[in-house]
Amino acid sequence: MTPLIPLTRDLVLIGGGHAHALLLKRWGMDPLPGVRLTLIDPGPLTAYSGMLPGHVAGHYDAHTPQIDLVRLARFAGARLIIGRAEGVDAQAREVIVGARRIGFDAASFDVGVTSEMPQLEGFAEHGVPAKPLGRLARDWGVFRAGDGPARVAVIGGGVAGAELAMAAAHGLRHRDARVTVIEQGRALSETSPSARRLVLRRMADLGVEVVENAAVARVEADHVRLGDGRDIASDFTIGAAGARPQAWLQATGLALEDGFIRVGPTLETSAPQVFAVGDCAHMVETPRSKAGVFAVRQAPVLFDNLRAALSGGEMRDYVPQKDYLKLVSLGGKAAMAEKWGRAWAHPVLWRWKDRIDRKFMDKLSDLPDMAAPKLPEPVAEGVIEALGDKPMCGGCGAKVGRGALREALAGLPAQPRADVVTLPGDDAGLVITGGAKQVISTDHLRSLVEDPHLMTRIAAIHALGDIWAMAARPQAATVNLVLPRMSAEMQRRSMAEIMAAAREVMDAAGAAIIGGHSSLGSELTVGFTVTGICEGEPVTLGGARPGAALILTKPVGSGTIMAAEMARAAPGPVVAKAWEMMAQGQGRASEILRGAQAMTDVTGFGLAGHLSGICEASGCGAELEVAKVPLMEGALELAEAGTRSTLFADNMAGAGAVIRGAGGARTDLMFDPQTAGGLLAAVAAETAKRLVEALRAAGYPAAIVGRMVEGRGLRLV
């Protein structure tokens, strides 16, 4: 048997820039055993700078210039932390992300630069920085889709500002566009004379006005006020006045050059085993301009040197080229090329640039399927069938099927104690002590995300669901934890992150953590045993009556989305939204629904399975209106493409005699196993609308999804 290699080193990538994106792909194809890789970035997507002007001009849709960090992280076996790095403690070897501290043995910065202008009055409220690229890529599509005259101002008359201005003029030609470039000095001063003449002529042909030697005093919602009192009309103001370093780098303790991180030939900073690449780095011995071509060519050197730093190997130097071919979009499908002081333009250059840009994006989206470890020969009969044709899902998708669970529980002896009440079908039990009603439950999850902090939040919300479903107030919790095999230092780091997340959730729920147990195993598993106090009678599965309305507090689809994410088939924003939904607590929803006739949390058995449980315990039937069930963003499209959780077939069989009046992918999602799902409550019909309004006001995407009826069984309509 191949030994399980323990984790001994933490490598943290700060920022999802171009060099780090390329490194992730290389790491996925050739990882260093024993290293836990982490990527920290504010979002699930990062924009590719080379295609952004093309998107503004309308040549590319909103998705084409976006690099999907979720897919790359999955391919690389990395944990993705969606959050903005706010500091680095080089001495303690920690990255600060909000209230979190992420420990590292080696780290790399690729956070780019910013075009934000905090010193310019009104820019934060009414301006859009060209860098970081995410906001411009997101907001421009909304603006371009509008109607009526369009007025755009670009602050900054360098190559980047001119390129965006030409793209905006071309992209808004259907809206009677007026585009103005504002430059405090001489526009395009950093380019060669021939390039400057060519670009100015092209801007004039597109109707772009260039205002030179003009200082900006402030930015308003509909205009830019210049220092001399002139107003430039603008409904969309872009900041492109140079590349500024991220302000928070000042507090890192690293050696800086004008705010940029100083690096030597190996790309290492003043702190050992801390590196920096891309626009945020200043190459001390070979200074170069801020351009993406350098970040792309730094990637293989960074990959080799990080591996060397973590394995005791020799590093190599990065030697940048002295000059490079600059390809500048000219609004339409034409481009200018400049090198060695000469510039020329031709439509074929745009096609060349487009081919280069698409090749780069294909490199980050065409992720090969890495060969799975071969099975030994021979193996016992049934091994191949038990393994299945895809990896086992995490979260509730890894639960034991309902049929096997029922069979096991059916063999338990009758409960002899008068102070312990077994509630048929309910996951929580009831203990009565001195008249107080205490509910108790336990649950654990096989990890479905690599980030232990996020996984702990989801597992804690999931475990508390049984308490909230009985309208009880959470009281206490113990933590049950299995960590992958790792070094003592990494155990300390992981436990600190896990317990911080557990404290956040339990404190918000009003429960105290009173202890726990931990061990080492093959993979991360997080669980909680929780108790709660019922101030009144507990709400169980067995009280629903015909005519009651059914309310669901969260959309469904997490099992399908997580199954697709494991296969790198789910778009990053869809996955990130699902994570956010799973991490939403249900405490306030439980309070609002406290008077429900019956209630359950929707988890591993899926919505249909859990509703069947209410029907069985209550002795009546139900109609579930499939079209009214809210779905997580992207879940239906993934289900229509054939994605199913590994527990889907068990849920179909375990839900009983369900009458499927409706069919198709949407109906299949009713059997999708949910992790940390919403509450499903049967309430008096006359109160349903008011309760849904209260739930929505509290931040829950609640909906009325059906009703209880006479008879037996569940009908999907």
Side-chain angles (χ1 to χ4, degrees), residues 583-635:
Q584 182 187 34
Q586 296 290 288
R588 179 62 186 135
S590 175
E591 293 175 0
I592 292 170
L593 295 169
R594 185 162 293 171
Q597 298 174 8
M599 188 154 59
T600 184
D601 59 332
V602 179
T603 53
F605 300 148
L607 178 57
H610 285 283
L611 180 51
S612 291
I614 289 180
C615 292
E616 184 177 335
S618 299
C620 55
E623 286 185 353
L624 181 65
E625 297 185 62
V626 174
K628 292 184 177 180
V629 175
L631 304 180
M632 290 187 180
E633 178 185 325

Side-chain angles (χ1 to χ4, degrees), residues 465-518:
D466 294 333
I467 305 300
W468 286 324
M470 298 185 77
R473 293 187 182 277
Q475 177 194 28
T478 59
V479 187
N480 312 300
L481 182 64
V482 179
L483 288 178
R485 286 189 65 191
M486 57 180 60
S487 67
E489 175 59 21
M490 289 188 67
Q491 290 176 38
R492 183 194 65 78
R493 291 172 183 165
S494 299
M495 291 291 286
E497 290 191 54
I498 287 168
M499 292 310 297
R503 280 286 306 274
E504 288 172 13
V505 174
M506 294 302 171
D507 284 355
I513 296 177
I514 56 175
H517 295 275
S518 63

